[in-house]
Amino acid sequence: MKIGLMMPFNQVTVRPGAFAQKAEELGFESIWVPEHAVIPARDRRFMASEGVADAYELMGDLFVALGMAASVTKRMKLATGICVLSDRNPLLTAKEAATLDLFSDGRLLLGVGVGSLHDATAIMGIDTRRPWGRMADYVGAMRRLWTSDVSSYKGEFVSFENVLSYPKPRQPNGPPVLIGSVSASESLMR
């Protein structure tokens, strides 16, 4: 059995490196780090208690946290759980993911989703319609950036022509992309 741990790191939690190092020593397979770039102050409906709310409201950047974990571990998988891909720039995210995968010797698992805070998506300046279509388009663009020396991509939500994006991930074709959702079937119907 493989067991992973999820931790939303912030200024009141243990540091990511120390947490990951101890988890690897104890034999855990992976560490999963979630994200929300911003959370509207009034939008706490999915939080079960004040403790959980604080953990999510204060969380730091997932790629920085996983980079810190990568620097002190050798075997542990490093996973985003989840990266709210539909709220991000796919070219920057492709570079962050490729860099982490390369420098961790191919240990990245890229968990992606669309999140449940549509108000936060709007605050980020992103159209809240069709988040699953946007995310799928972004994954296609990221795969192209990871696998082509000179990349071009034409999609509904992102397009670019003749760009260089380095470094390339250590894993062939890039890290595994896993979809995470609390209510994917409901969201897919929108």
Side-chain angles (χ1 to χ4, degrees):
M1 180 183 311
K2 297 177 183 177
I3 299 174
L5 300 172
M6 185 178 91
M7 181 67 170
F9 294 102
N10 61 52
Q11 64 259 35
V12 298
T13 65
V14 64
R15 297 290 186 245
F19 183 89
Q21 192 170 40
K22 187 62 173 180
E24 185 173 74
E25 287 172 16
L26 293 171
F28 287 95
E29 183 257 353
S30 55
I31 180 173
W32 295 77
V33 180
E35 80 167 342
H36 281 291
V38 296
I39 295 177
R42 64 184 169 83
D43 200 348
R44 296 179 174 172
R45 68 185 179 277
F46 73 102
M47 318 271 184
S49 70
E50 277 303 308
V52 172
D54 288 346
Y56 277 82
E57 291 167 5
L58 302 175
M59 75 175 80
D61 182 81
L62 77 170
F63 284 110
V64 172
L66 289 171
M68 294 174 74
S71 72
V72 297
T73 58
K74 298 290 180 214
R75 298 174 312 282
M76 176 175 278
K77 300 274 189 203
L78 309 162
T80 59
I82 62 158
C83 170
V84 185
L85 187 57
S86 58
D87 287 3
R88 293 173 143 266
N89 179 301
L91 286 88
L92 292 174
T93 305
K95 183 177 222 41
E96 291 170 326
T99 302
L100 180 58
D101 192 65
L102 176 67
F103 293 155
S104 70
D105 293 324
R107 294 187 285 144
L108 178 63
L109 300 172
L110 189 61
V112 299
V114 300
S116 59
L117 302 178
H118 302 295
D119 291 349
T121 301
I123 289 168
M124 300 290 288
I126 297 165
D127 189 338
T128 59
R129 294 172 295 181
R130 300 199 50 238
W132 289 97
R134 178 181 306 281
M135 186 188 72
D137 198 23
Y138 285 6
V139 170
M142 291 168 58
R143 286 262 181 244
R144 185 70 51 83
L145 292 164
W146 292 335
T147 58
S148 302
D149 290 333
V150 178
S151 304
S152 296
Y153 182 85
K154 182 160 180 58
E156 181 180 353
F157 297 98
V158 61
S159 296
F160 50 86
E161 192 169 324
N162 298 325
V163 299
L164 301 176
S165 181
Y166 287 88
K168 299 300 183 194
R170 172 81 57 188
Q171 296 179 77
N173 299 316
V177 176
L178 310 169
I179 297 172
S181 175
V182 173
S183 59
S185 60
E186 177 187 324
S187 297
L188 289 169
M189 300 307 225
R190 290 185 193 147

